[in-house]
Amino acid sequence: MSTLLILAPVGFPLLAAGGCAVFGWNRVTAWLGAAAAAGLLAAAIGLAVTGPGAALWGLLRADALSAYMLIVIGVVALLAMSASPAYLAAELAAGHTWPRAMRRYGVLTQAFVAAMALAVLSSSLGMLWVAVEATTIVTAFLVGHRHTREATEAAWKYVVICSVGIALALLGIVLVHYAAAHVGVASLDWTTLSQHAGRLDPGVMRIAVVLLVLGFGTKAGLAPLHAWLPDAHSQAPAPVSALMSGVLLSVAFYAILRVKVIADAALGTGFTRLLLVIVALASLVVTALLLLAQRDYKRLLAYSSIEHMGLIALGTAIGGTLALAAVLLHILGHGLGKSVLFLSAGHLHQAVGSSRIHAVRGLAARAPLLAGAFALGLLALLGLPPFSLFASELGIARAGFSAGLGWVIAPAFVLVLVIAAALGRHARDMLLGPASPAGAIPMPRSVAAALIAGLAACAVLGVTAGPLNTLLRTAAAIAGALP
């Protein structure tokens, strides 16, 4: 039974990809992605209930942290795939896609979900690197789905920058293997490396950790190698942007969480903490500066992702059970909120034909449901109650002050306030004011259901954050994710 549960999160999306490849994109196969995501989510819950098990074939292992990340993948994928049929139908009607491209979309999105599931189930650094590289290859084609000049440029920029990051991560893995081999450890398995981390050469490990954090941090959208993110997320189809921003960034950061366990055991907590603090503050500064003058609402959401990954990096730098609980809660809350916003933005872009902020005025009068979902999604993203990001950001701040890192928390949250002001100003311009003469914007039921479900889940997480944090601390202790 445990073997099937470990294989199911990868197997369900691959089966759905095979169905789309064989039968194409039609009224039935269009919903295979949503069905596969539901199956993945059910398997993830099963793994969380049954608890950690032994490694499967020496390649896959599901501990509490893996199961939690699979739940995040399943939830975000279910929202994105539920909105995909209506999104592609509108694209086909507008002449922006065609049946062959829709078939390719179905295959690639499911391969993307399978690769992310494989990444969090990998029991070794090497397998994780392969899975993360697979996500780069697959999503490059999805970013360029429309085959416009802008989409093609964004896809190439994404491939080039992320390939640099992945190369840095590979070099870091090589150095970890070199350090391990010199103490008689011939494995890149998480558990094995953690057990022998105290014997690894500190000089080699410092270089390896810097390369791994920069490498996987590139894929997570962290500064300084973040430049691919706004272009890729603004050009990809809206459900793909929801997957990339809502969960791919977190899957890449999951690798940093695993690396931190080994690094802290080998070097102490101070080295990785300083490195992550620098990266986190740099990401927040970049976001604050670039959001102030932003004119594109899809890029606006993409830059916001850099902010939230910076907050996740900050919580990870603090360490401890409260900080890790807040980080894990933030990962899920950000995935839900950002999925709602990108799906809303995609529907809005199809309706008005532009992603420029000045092209959208009086949205509250033209499309109350869409405007309400967009506004509530932004409130969730800004960390306001009752949404879960309020509880997670409060948890990060409390943990930081308790750890004596007030000198980091204070400037970080000043930057968060600057970012919130910029987002609020742009949202006001879009939502309020006189409506344009273009008329009302209808919304398909499947898209509306996905938006409402995402917002409701984010609010429920916020209301139940107290007991949920207790569960997350338990999961962190079982997984041994951070000291």
Side-chain angles (χ1 to χ4, degrees), residues 1-7 9 42-54 61-64 66-68 70-71 121 478:
M1 185 65 178
S2 60
T3 299
L4 291 177
L5 286 177
I6 292 176
L7 293 176
I45 294 172
L47 286 170
V49 171
T50 58
R61 180 186 291 112
D63 58 17
S66 299
Y68 182 84
L70 284 173
I71 290 174
L121 285 170
I478 295 173

Side-chain angles (χ1 to χ4, degrees), residues 107-109 111-112 115 133-143:
V107 173
L108 291 176
T109 51
F112 177 26
E133 174 65 6
T135 65
T136 303
I137 296 170
V138 171
T139 48
F141 291 101
L142 289 169
V143 170

Side-chain angles (χ1 to χ4, degrees), residues 440-456:
I441 302 175
M443 180 182 292
R445 292 181 180 178
S446 59
V447 177
L451 298 181
I452 293 171
L455 288 171

